Amino acid sequence: MKITRELINRYLKNQCSAEEAAYLEDYIAHLGESLDQLLSKEEWDLTDENLDYPNQQEIKDKILAFAKKQNVLKYNRKLVRIVSAAAAIVVFILGFYVSLNPFLNQPAPDVRKIATIEDQTEEISNLYYINSGNDNMLLTASDGSVITLYPQSEIKYAEDFSTQQERVLYLKGKAKFEVAKDKSKPFRVHSTGVVTTALGTVFSVDELRSTQTQIKLMEGKIEVKAVDHQRGKELVRTFLPHEEITLDHRELKVVEEIKTHTIGTDRGGHFLQNNQIIQFKNIALEDVLTILMQNYDIKLQYDKSLISNKFYSGTFTNKTNVFEEIIREINYLHHAGINYTNPQ
């Protein structure tokens, strides 16, 4: 369902179906840091402002005071009147009038997690879908990309990608993407703390738990990137078909990784780390060292020629500084001469 001027008009006049009203209320409840995501300036300007609703003056005064303090409403006082009406209806139905959430008490946004496209906010008309049912929802973007949105998941993206430099989508939950090929417009899926980038591919993103994200690649090639600016830590990994990664997007650690194809060999590999064990099965040494540096915040010095086309398998009890034991064993087996700098 698309959010339109006509739908908002009917909603404010109590002329929506129950399904339409529920959809719009979910949309408003999940708005991000700016109210202008709801409609474009032109659509707001055409919306009927002569609407009567309960406690309208009190709500208008609260929103105007908040807007003046935070400088968040960009358009005009007419928008305030219309948004006030929406706030009144949503507040009445959802029962949180006192807080006027989400319009009045939004926390300061985390710039690492905001679902926006810088300097283009006012020009983009976004589509926003919530799958609250039990069946998958099939969506087709303007570029022909097909999105399978799984139950209890949400996604937002531009209605028209043709005017955008990138194809950017914002996901909560789980979705599968069959990406239309367009090398001039990278296809980027933002999930919690993670950006998955593809040019033409089929992959899925699944926020398994509140701190973990699983990404599976079926076709093509993708880059998975997460950045923690406060700690100066970054995770960047690339994947080929039939490979996958599960990462802790809060700690930027690799939890599990499947490498089914390795260049120059038909070997498959698997990495797993949990509270009990850390396990490598047929993992290329270069990938082993990358994981150790990522998960233990260490720096390694080694000669790439000594680890090229070599693989490693091993299982260890997960304990503090287990990486030291792993590196000693790799050096013993492969004469790799790996040195490390202890984490700070």
Side-chain angles (χ1 to χ4, degrees):
M1 186 181 300
K2 181 182 175 183
I3 305 297
T4 64
R5 180 184 72 251
E6 185 267 340
L7 174 61
I8 292 176
N9 255 330
R10 288 192 291 108
Y11 178 84
L12 295 175
K13 295 177 179 179
N14 199 26
Q15 296 174 354
C16 279
S17 68
E19 181 183 5
E20 291 172 327
Y23 188 87
L24 185 55
E25 288 155 16
D26 279 341
Y27 184 93
I28 295 172
H30 288 81
L31 275 176
E33 75 287 351
S34 177
L35 296 176
D36 57 11
Q37 294 180 56
L38 194 58
L39 286 180
S40 67
K41 180 181 186 301
E42 291 74 18
E43 289 175 309
W44 278 119
D45 287 341
L46 292 172
T47 303
D48 186 1
E49 63 179 289
N50 298 315
L51 301 167
D52 294 323
Y53 49 90
N55 304 312
Q56 56 182 336
Q57 189 57 50
E58 184 178 354
I59 292 174
K60 286 179 186 176
D61 292 342
K62 286 179 179 288
I63 292 179
L64 282 169
F66 178 80
K68 181 177 181 180
K69 180 180 179 181
Q70 300 293 334
N71 193 28
V72 296
L73 297 182
K74 301 177 181 178
Y75 299 147
N76 51 42
R77 296 177 71 88
K78 177 180 177 180
L79 171 59
V80 173
R81 290 193 289 273
I82 298 168
V83 172
S84 299
I89 296 171
V90 174
V91 165
F92 177 76
I93 293 174
L94 301 184
F96 46 71
Y97 167 77
V98 174
S99 63
L100 285 178
N101 182 46
F103 299 107
L104 301 183
N105 289 326
Q106 288 284 353
D110 184 341
V111 295
R112 291 170 293 155
K113 298 179 180 179
I114 288 176
T116 60
I117 304 176
E118 188 176 356
D119 296 330
Q120 298 181 3
T121 305
E122 294 185 12
E123 301 174 5
I124 298 174
S125 178
N126 286 318
L127 299 177
Y128 185 74
Y129 296 93
I130 300 174
N131 187 357
S132 56
N134 296 320
D135 299 321
N136 293 343
M137 179 185 292
L138 198 63
L139 308 170
T140 302
S142 63
D143 66 337
S145 296
V146 178
I147 304 162
T148 303
L149 187 64
Y150 286 74
Q152 312 309 313
S153 301
E154 309 167 22
I155 196 163
K156 180 176 71 173
Y157 53 90
E159 182 178 11
D160 183 6
F161 285 135
S162 65
T163 60
Q164 309 303 314
Q165 294 181 349
E166 299 178 335
R167 295 171 287 174
V168 181
L169 305 92
Y170 302 98
L171 172 68
K172 291 182 180 179
K174 180 180 180 180
K176 177 183 175 182
F177 302 89
E178 299 175 49
V179 183
K181 292 184 179 181
D182 187 346
K183 292 184 178 181
S184 67
K185 294 180 185 292
F187 188 97
R188 306 190 195 279
V189 177
H190 292 244
S191 51
T192 305
V194 182
V195 180
T196 304
T197 302
L199 291 176
T201 190
V202 179
F203 65 97
S204 66
V205 179
D206 185 0
E207 296 180 334
L208 296 170
R209 302 179 180 87
S210 60
T211 63
Q212 291 186 10
T213 301
Q214 181 187 71
I215 300 162
K216 294 182 179 182
L217 177 62
M218 293 78 168
E219 298 177 14
K221 185 177 181 180
I222 58 172
E223 177 191 78
V224 177
K225 183 176 182 179
V227 180
D228 186 334
H229 295 283
Q230 289 184 335
R231 292 186 295 169
K233 188 175 181 179
E234 180 178 81
L235 182 150
V236 180
R237 305 283 280 160
T238 57
F239 293 91
L240 299 175
H242 308 295
E243 297 184 341
E244 65 183 76
I245 184 173
T246 301
L247 58 93
D248 184 325
H249 52 246
R250 181 184 59 188
E251 298 293 333
L252 297 195
K253 292 182 177 181
V254 179
V255 176
E256 187 172 11
E257 189 167 301
I258 293 176
K259 307 285 283 188
T260 56
H261 294 288
T262 306
I263 296 175
T265 178
D266 59 358
R267 294 190 187 196
H270 180 237
F271 166 76
L272 174 67
Q273 180 170 336
N274 56 37
N275 292 334
Q276 288 74 45
I277 64 169
I278 177 169
Q279 184 178 74
F280 301 89
K281 290 184 178 180
N282 292 329
I283 294 290
L285 275 184
E286 187 170 359
D287 288 335
V288 171
L289 301 185
T290 298
I291 290 171
L292 292 178
M293 287 188 285
Q294 185 70 49
N295 287 7
Y296 292 97
D297 292 330
I298 58 175
K299 294 183 178 180
L300 300 178
Q301 296 83 39
Y302 54 92
D303 184 341
K304 288 189 176 182
S305 66
L306 297 178
I307 65 171
S308 178
N309 293 320
K310 293 182 179 179
F311 298 82
Y312 178 70
S313 296
T315 302
F316 300 85
T317 300
N318 194 356
K319 56 188 177 182
T320 304
N321 293 345
V322 65
F323 65 87
E324 296 177 345
E325 187 177 349
I326 298 169
I327 292 171
R328 281 198 300 268
E329 181 166 290
I330 293 173
N331 282 335
Y332 176 77
L333 293 173
H334 296 284
H335 307 287
I338 303 166
N339 296 307
Y340 63 87
T341 301
N342 280 313
Q344 300 297 322

